[in-house]
């Protein structure tokens, strides 16, 4: 891990991910936040060894699980979990994972901090990431933030180093794969994956909702444009499967079982590793 630590200390922060991102003004502070996140992630490595994890995507099938079976699991969710208030009201996640824009993450991130939920979070645009971290600092809740740098796939390299892999998974186009990877980092010996429906279009057709109890309006308003959405675009779907296959290879090499609780919806095997 020392090579990764040194990379964070020395890599340039002047690059941008979309050619319009403003440069960060305080590189030293940003680098310190990334190093702090790195060290906190190291502290979580295998912390939950021999524990079971429940990874919760937000497909409508999430609402089908019997929560009583999973109360003792390490509970991992993502993104707008607060919009599924009835589900999470008595089922507080242990970790919240997100890799998106400041606009999308600000509200759930603040809710996590207020509820003392640990966060595993990144934002592609470094300038936006700074704004998110300022919220945690103002609330004096930086201890809950496991930050990592999106652009250079810092966490992916940490996971590959842990499991002695010679390649890393992609920037990832579904947060569910990041959550599975995070469960592997935590050392969980079983990973149950729920709400991994893998088609907004089919979700709308079967439930009237893009997600578990709520709609993401840009998709819901015109789901015929499925080609722009990762789950329904063949190329993007192939990437999702490729990343999942990579994570399953790691799991199989360590006799870690990944159970697909959404198999009746997504068509993937019931046991995927």
């Amino acid at each position: 891990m020392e090579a990764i630590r040194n990379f964070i200390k020395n890599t340039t922060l002047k690059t941008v991910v979309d050619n319009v991102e403003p440069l960060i003004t305080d590189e030293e502070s940003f680098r310190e936040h990334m190093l702090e996140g790195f060290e906190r992630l190291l502290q979580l490595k295998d912390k939950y060894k021999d524990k079971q994890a429940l990874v919760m995507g937000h497909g409508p099938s999430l609402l089908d699980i019997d929560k009583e079976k999973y109360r003792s699991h390490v509970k991992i969710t993502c993104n707008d979990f607060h919009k599924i208030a009835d589900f999470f009201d008595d089922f507080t996640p242990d970790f919240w994972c997100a890799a998106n824009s400041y606009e999308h993450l600000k509200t759930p991130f603040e809710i996590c901090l207020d509820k003392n939920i640990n966060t595993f979070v990144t934002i592609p645009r470094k300038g936006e990431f700074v704004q998110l971290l300022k919220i945690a600092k103002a609330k004096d809740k930086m201890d809950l933030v496991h930050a990592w740098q999106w652009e250079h796939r810092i966490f992916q390299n940490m996971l590959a180093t842990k499991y002695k892999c010679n390649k890393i998974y992609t920037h990832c186009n579904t947060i569910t794969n990041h959550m599975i990877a995070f469960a592997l980092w935590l050392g969980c010996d079983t990973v149950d994956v729920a709400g991994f429906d893998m088609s907004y279009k089919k979700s709308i057709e079967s439930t009237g909702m893009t997600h578990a109890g709520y709609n993401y309006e840009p998709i819901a308003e015109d789901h015929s444009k499925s080609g722009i959405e990762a789950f329904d675009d063949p190329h993007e779907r192939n990437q999702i499967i490729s990343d999942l296959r990579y994570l399953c290879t790691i799991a199989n090499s360590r006799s870690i079982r990944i159970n697909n609780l959404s198999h009746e919806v997504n068509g993937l095997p019931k046991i995927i590793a």
Side-chain angles (χ1 to χ4, degrees):
M1 296 292 177
E2 191 60 29
I4 299 174
R5 182 183 287 108
N6 287 333
F7 180 86
I8 297 171
K9 288 179 179 179
N10 298 299
T11 190
T12 179
L13 297 177
K14 296 187 182 302
T15 55
V16 296
V17 297
D18 56 10
N19 296 321
V20 297
E21 176 190 1
L23 296 177
I24 55 176
T25 57
D26 189 343
E27 290 191 7
E28 182 178 353
S29 176
F30 182 82
R31 203 181 301 276
E32 285 178 0
H33 285 316
M34 294 305 103
L35 286 168
E36 288 170 2
F38 171 77
E39 299 299 342
R40 290 195 185 102
L41 283 170
L42 284 183
Q43 291 172 15
L44 289 178
K45 179 174 170 282
D46 289 333
K47 183 175 180 178
Y48 295 91
K49 189 175 182 180
D50 301 326
K51 291 276 288 182
Q52 295 174 295
L54 175 64
V55 163
M56 294 176 281
H58 291 175
S61 66
L62 173 65
L63 302 180
D64 296 334
I65 69 168
D66 180 355
K67 292 188 288 187
E68 293 305 316
K69 294 181 179 180
Y70 303 100
R71 290 199 181 276
S72 63
H73 282 51
V74 180
K75 295 180 284 296
I76 306 170
T77 195
C78 58
N79 298 345
D80 289 332
F81 78 105
H82 62 292
K83 293 184 178 179
I84 322 174
D86 290 344
F87 181 89
F88 285 108
D89 185 49
D90 65 341
F91 202 65
T92 304
D94 299 291
F95 293 96
W96 173 81
C97 301
N100 209 316
S101 67
Y102 177 81
E103 177 186 1
H104 283 92
L105 300 187
K106 178 179 182 292
T107 296
F109 182 68
E110 288 183 318
I111 291 171
C112 285
L113 298 181
D114 292 340
K115 292 181 175 290
N116 292 317
I117 298 169
N118 281 287
T119 69
F120 170 65
V121 64
T122 188
I123 289 182
R125 295 177 179 175
K126 293 186 286 293
E128 291 188 4
F129 205 176
V130 169
Q131 294 301 114
L132 196 75
L133 296 174
K134 282 181 179 178
I135 293 173
K137 192 170 183 179
K139 290 177 177 287
D140 195 24
K141 294 290 184 76
M142 282 299 296
D143 59 311
L144 296 175
V145 182
H146 301 79
W148 56 286
Q149 193 174 349
W150 183 90
E151 183 179 3
H152 299 294
R153 292 187 280 183
I154 294 299
F155 176 72
Q156 288 92 322
N157 278 281
M158 293 176 71
L159 189 74
T161 299
K162 175 187 176 183
Y163 288 106
K164 298 179 173 59
C165 300
N166 58 14
K167 66 175 185 177
I168 61 178
Y169 71 92
T170 72
H171 279 118
C172 222
N173 50 1
T174 174
I175 193 63
T176 303
N177 277 340
H178 280 311
M179 290 192 287
I180 294 171
F182 187 60
L184 295 175
W185 178 259
L186 296 176
C188 299
D189 66 359
T190 302
V191 184
D192 295 321
V193 184
F196 192 30
D197 293 19
M198 290 191 68
S199 175
Y200 295 126
K201 185 175 181 179
K202 289 181 180 178
S203 293
I204 291 174
E205 290 172 350
S206 61
T207 70
M209 297 284 185
T210 60
H211 291 72
Y214 72 93
N215 268 322
Y216 180 55
E217 293 305 329
I219 302 172
E221 289 172 0
D222 188 2
H223 64 272
S224 64
K225 295 181 179 178
S226 60
I228 64 170
E229 299 302 332
F231 287 138
D232 295 303
D233 178 272
H235 176 75
E236 297 291 329
R237 188 182 178 93
N238 286 341
Q239 182 180 319
I240 292 170
I241 298 299
S242 177
D243 285 333
L244 183 60
R245 187 177 296 117
Y246 171 89
L247 298 172
C248 287
T249 299
I250 289 176
N252 278 318
S253 71
R254 300 300 190 278
S255 298
I256 298 168
R257 181 161 165 159
I258 301 179
N259 297 314
N260 174 20
L261 304 185
S262 303
H263 63 96
E264 292 183 357
V265 179
N266 61 32
L268 297 177
K270 186 174 182 179
I271 301 172
I272 51 181

